[in-house]
Amino acid sequence: MRRFFLGQFLALLTSLATLAVHLLLGPLFSHSVYLFCLPALALCAALGGFPSAMSAAVILAAGGFIADGSADIPAAERTGRVLLFLLYGVAVAFAGGWLQRTLGAWRLRLAGLEEREAILRAGLDAVPDAGIVIDEDGVVVAFSHAAQLLFGWPAAEICGLGVETLMPPAHAQAHERYVHRYVQTGERRVMGSSRQVAGLRRDGTEFPMELRIGEVRIGSRRYFTGVVRDLSTMREAERRSDELHAQLTQIWSLNSMGEMASVLAHELNQPLSSVANYLRAARTLIANLELEEDDLLDAVSRASDQAIRAGEIIRTMRDLATRGGAEQKPESLSAILAEIEFIVGLMVRDAGARVLYDLYQGPDIVLADRIQIQQLVVNLVRNAIDAVAKFPDREIKISTRADADDKLVTIVEDSGPGVDSAVMGRVFQPLASTKPTGMGLGLSICRAIVENHGGRIWVQPSPLGGAAFCFVLARTGVNGDDASGRTDRLRRR
Ligand code: ADP
């Protein structure tokens, strides 16, 4: 509506200006007033469209008719002129209207194109992978935000340069051959598939990347789109995962110790049942007092031999599991715990439990065999998980604190039932177990590990309701590893 009134205002203004100019300059021209008005009419049509041109035509026709009257032109000719001018006016108004509509449509189309480009660009920029568009000659025409971050080139600088700028020379040549062959033969070697190649950053460093190439045709022009995924972080993650896997295998060796234990249980069965048999025989001998003293001594000493053998089997296992603590060095206790946070998290989550950390904030360097301490904590956590399994509220807490002697105490506690009175007092001894399939070796190995470190392990009631297994390690003043910042994350909890 505003546009319409603006058009009308323009028509009125142009007409009045034209008529005024004609009144002033008209006598200088021998031509009809209408000829003078034609450009004004065309102007109104071009700028204001149909309504503006029609209004101007009517005003100018009236002005022309009056001007012709004052020039003593005969009435019939005056009427003919004004009608002809009006006819011309209608034609120009239609032409103006058409021009306006066409222009409007083009403007809309242009705005639509700009909007679509903005949306596409925003979409391209939102994708975490780097997006690059090149033309048939290999010239970069679009470069997404992620691509700018990955390659270190601002879009404004790379657009217009050849795509080989983004590849090490050897790859650039191969790429050029691929694209050339595809353009020539249409043979799809790389189109649509993904390949692992090397990328070249602006600073000259190379990195592994995965490249997927697509094709877009716009009219007769052909463009190629490249989606690039940086594989360096993935490779790093793979390397870290392999490392972690190796570590886990070691940590879980307690588990395999468990498996070994069941094999050895078979071995232990034999000396233990011999012990039982010899003792039973000794008892019978004592009861009947039929045989000579030598027989009795023989039975008892055989029983004792077998018991010693059983003990040796267990000791060998323990030694195997604890490796004598040969690799003790200064380590941050929280860093040791941070490294097994992931595996502890997995175990606890699988059991539907929750783990809380409350770690000592001060210096926490201890002289330790990292893997052994991790085995120890994982074992205590596994026992805690077993303990809370039958309870709806499954809470496990891992904490460290400095004790009165300035040593570091690590506590693994749970909301389970606490230690069964049947094994209380001997939980750290081999074969003390209340579990149907338990070997009763875990805690005795834990004790051996702690003692290897010159520490002490004990159990006490936990404020969470269950058992709190505590072990103490001496601090050293030497700096240890910090496990690349993970320590602080775990400590802040
Ligand atoms: P196992 O787990 O094979 O029984 P362990 O030496 O690890 O061997 O544990 C010995 C026993 O100590 C267990 O059978 C259990 O009765 C008790 N125990 C260990 N940890 C806990 C705990 N967190 N809560 C209650 N009892 C526990």
Side-chain angles (χ1 to χ4, degrees), residues 379-380 383-388 412-414 416-420 423 426-435 437-446 459 466-469:
N379 208 34
L380 294 180
N383 273 346
I385 288 173
D386 287 347
V388 297
V412 178
E413 55 196 310
D414 60 71
V419 177
D420 194 317
V423 283
R426 54 186 186 95
V427 276
F428 295 107
Q429 284 169 19
L431 309 181
S433 176
T434 53
K435 298 174 194 170
T437 54
M439 290 301 304
L441 285 174
L443 286 178
S444 76
I445 292 173
C446 289
V459 60
F469 282 84

Side-chain angles (χ1 to χ4, degrees), residues 323-394:
R323 289 186 283 119
E327 294 175 26
Q328 291 183 9
K329 50 183 191 201
E331 300 268 7
S332 151
L333 187 56
S334 40
I336 291 178
L337 296 176
E339 279 190 352
I340 50 166
E341 184 201 1
F342 175 69
I343 186 78
V344 165
L346 276 184
M347 288 162 60
V348 166
R349 201 189 57 203
D350 283 353
R354 201 159 75 94
V355 64
L356 289 170
Y357 285 89
D358 180 11
L359 301 191
Y360 179 61
Q361 301 292 318
D364 69 344
I365 307 298
V366 290
L367 197 63
D369 180 321
R370 193 164 47 97
I371 302 290
Q372 280 190 0
I373 301 298
Q374 289 172 344
Q375 284 180 335
L376 158 64
V377 174
V378 167
N379 208 34
L380 294 180
V381 170
R382 199 170 38 226
N383 273 346
I385 288 173
D386 287 347
V388 297
K390 287 196 187 128
F391 291 78
D393 234 8
R394 297 168 191 170

Side-chain angles (χ1 to χ4, degrees), residues 136 174-192 213-217 222-224:
E136 260 178 16
H175 174 81
E176 210 171 309
R177 276 202 308 277
Y178 282 136
V179 174
H180 185 70
R181 179 167 34 212
Y182 176 64
V183 170
Q184 296 297 309
T185 62
E187 190 190 338
R188 286 176 173 269
R189 284 220 175 178
V190 288
M191 291 305 141
I213 303 181
E215 184 189 355
V216 196
R217 274 178 191 274
R222 189 167 16 188
Y223 294 89
F224 299 105

